Amino acid sequence: MEQFLAGFEALKANIFDNMIEQQAKLGYRKEPVRLYYPLSSLNHFFNKKADSDEMQQILSDFPVYTKEQCGEISATHKGERFCFTISEEVSEYVHTNKPGNIFICELIQLLAKHGTTLEEIITLFKSQPKESVIEPVNNGEFDILIRFVNDKDRYYYCFKDEGCHIIYHRFLPEDYADFDF
């Protein structure tokens, strides 16, 4: 397990980020949650090029690692798609011990409004105390990519104006690069 501690910590942090985002969108409930990850994302956390069975073996100690800290998170897979089942104890732990991400809450509230524009989203990013970079994207999937510079928020925020609403996806840089847009 020692050789995978950095990967376990990175994966746990990402799971927590996703749960904080989910709780901002849907509200908190003390219940189990399932999150899905492709094998390629997991390989980024562990700096590996493992196949599905090797990754399942790497993850075999993950429930022990998380249970001591916050509750059990187990992993199964079908092919290259991994399902993490997060216990209700972990949901409660995230809700009570991890501060809400104010920026994510503001972003979700803005996107929930009817008629939100890309300009309003850019204004929200520019209003943050950290520097951001806004890049137009011409790949058919997104209109703009916004990311913070030199910040612990490493995510790439990608937005698409669908006409009647704006959709967004949040990627780690390595996962975004994998898409080869």
Side-chain angles (χ1 to χ4, degrees), residues 12 16 20 23 80 92 115 135 139 147 181:
K12 183 183 77 170
F16 285 0
I20 290 166
Q23 289 176 4
E80 293 189 354
E92 182 174 35
E135 302 172 14
N139 60 19
R147 60 186 171 80
F181 291 126

Side-chain angles (χ1 to χ4, degrees), residues 63-78:
V64 173
Y65 176 77
T66 60
K67 187 169 183 118
E68 294 172 4
Q69 300 172 10
C70 59
E72 191 167 330
I73 301 174
S74 61
T76 58
H77 77 281
K78 288 186 182 178

Side-chain angles (χ1 to χ4, degrees), residues 4 8 50-62 77 82:
F4 302 120
F8 285 169
D51 66 23
S52 296
D53 292 331
E54 291 168 324
M55 183 56 67
Q56 187 68 55
Q57 184 61 41
I58 290 169
L59 294 171
S60 65
D61 288 327
F62 191 56
H77 77 281
F82 283 74

Side-chain angles (χ1 to χ4, degrees), residues 68-133:
E68 294 172 4
Q69 300 172 10
C70 59
E72 191 167 330
I73 301 174
S74 61
T76 58
H77 77 281
K78 288 186 182 178
E80 293 189 354
R81 184 176 188 227
F82 283 74
C83 174
F84 287 82
T85 303
I86 298 143
S87 69
E88 63 185 27
E89 290 79 23
V90 176
S91 291
E92 182 174 35
Y93 175 85
V94 169
H95 178 71
T96 57
N97 295 299
K98 293 295 174 185
N101 183 324
I102 294 169
F103 171 73
I104 285 292
C105 291
E106 290 174 350
L107 178 61
I108 289 168
Q109 287 174 351
L110 180 60
L111 291 168
K113 285 186 350 188
H114 183 70
T116 296
T117 65
L118 289 174
E119 290 76 24
E120 289 174 295
I121 292 167
I122 291 168
T123 299
L124 174 64
F125 275 86
K126 286 183 175 181
S127 74
Q128 300 306 302
K130 45 200 172 190
E131 181 185 354
S132 59
V133 173

